[in-house]
Amino acid sequence: MENRIGTMTRSEASVLSTNRVIRNTYMLLSLTLAFSALTAGASLALGLPHPGIILTLVGYFGLLFLTTKFRDSGLGILFVFALTGFMGYTLGPIVSHYLAMPNGGQVVMQAMGGTAAIFLGLSAYALTSRKDFSFMGGFLVVGILVAFLAGLGAIFFEMPGLSLAVSAMFVLLMSGLILYETSNIIHGGETNYVMATVTLYVSIYNLFTSLLHILGVMNND
């Protein structure tokens, strides 16, 4: 009888811990998305130039390293906002470029709507079905690495066809990453809401920019 009570207590504690991670993750994600939108809007309004691929990568990986290092302290939250704010700043010039196109406002709104629909739909499916998508981990790591290197090649060698293919790959990969990370939280694989927030934010950011690229190309015939 005591063992059963102890087992139930551990099970309940596990459920409470998981619910706490989910709640904190989505709360922090909402705040960082709002902050990122604010910095993107400021960058757009001020007409700030894009920092370039090199500075973007240095800033992103540098802030990601600091966030990971301090993920268990208050500094981790500070670096999450620094990371998402920086990425929001890089997004401003990108959005500005598309707004300058014919029907650019419509393209941006479609990309935002598509991103929101995919994220909310996949998150709701993972949360309600409670399926375990951990089997996707290895595939996602390899796929993201290949797509990342292909994207760099498309930029440096100016290959628009490859760039479009990379954007399509990222839409699929980021959708998979949303399912994987949400499932990871539910099943206790991810217990740190700071890192969970970063993963979901990066998924949303890349999903939005990839949809923006694809829709922009379609709009430009």
Side-chain angles (χ1 to χ4, degrees):
M1 184 66 178
E2 290 180 359
N3 289 336
R4 289 182 59 189
I5 294 175
T7 301
M8 289 176 62
T9 303
R10 286 193 295 271
S11 177
E12 290 172 354
S14 177
V15 171
L16 289 174
S17 177
T18 298
N19 290 339
R20 189 182 306 113
V21 174
I22 292 173
R23 182 178 64 252
N24 290 342
T25 296
Y26 283 100
M27 184 182 299
L28 184 58
L29 181 63
S30 299
L31 293 173
T32 53
L33 285 172
F35 183 62
S36 186
L38 183 64
T39 57
S43 177
L44 179 64
L46 296 173
L48 299 178
H50 194 278
I53 184 66
I54 302 299
L55 286 178
T56 297
L57 291 176
V58 170
Y60 169 72
F61 284 110
L63 290 169
L64 180 61
F65 170 78
L66 292 172
T67 301
T68 304
K69 182 177 181 180
F70 295 102
R71 63 184 179 274
D72 295 318
S73 69
L75 282 175
I77 296 178
L78 178 64
F79 284 122
V80 167
F81 279 98
L83 173 61
T84 55
F86 174 73
M87 296 309 292
Y89 154 63
T90 66
L91 192 59
I94 297 175
V95 173
S96 177
H97 168 76
Y98 285 96
L99 288 176
M101 295 168 49
N103 299 320
Q106 183 178 354
V107 169
V108 172
M109 292 304 296
Q110 287 176 343
M112 290 178 62
T115 301
I118 292 172
F119 175 74
L120 293 175
L122 292 176
S123 297
Y125 176 72
L127 288 168
T128 55
S129 70
R130 303 188 73 83
K131 288 186 177 181
D132 188 356
F133 291 97
S134 59
F135 65 90
M136 299 173 62
F139 167 77
L140 289 171
V141 170
V142 174
I144 291 171
L145 179 60
V146 171
F148 176 72
L149 294 176
L152 290 180
I155 292 172
F156 288 115
F157 296 106
E158 298 182 356
M159 302 170 66
L162 178 59
S163 181
L164 185 61
V166 168
S167 292
M169 288 175 62
F170 263 108
V171 170
L172 295 175
L173 289 167
M174 294 303 106
S175 298
L177 187 57
I178 291 168
L179 282 174
Y180 171 81
E181 187 62 18
T182 306
S183 170
N184 213 20
I185 297 170
I186 294 171
H187 296 285
E190 178 59 83
T191 58
N192 188 289
Y193 69 91
V194 169
M195 298 311 300
T197 298
V198 170
T199 301
L200 291 176
Y201 174 86
V202 170
S203 301
I204 293 171
Y205 180 95
N206 285 319
L207 188 58
F208 174 66
T209 54
S210 297
L211 286 175
L212 200 57
H213 184 201
I214 294 170
L215 292 171
V217 170
M218 292 173 62
N219 184 65
N220 263 351
D221 195 20

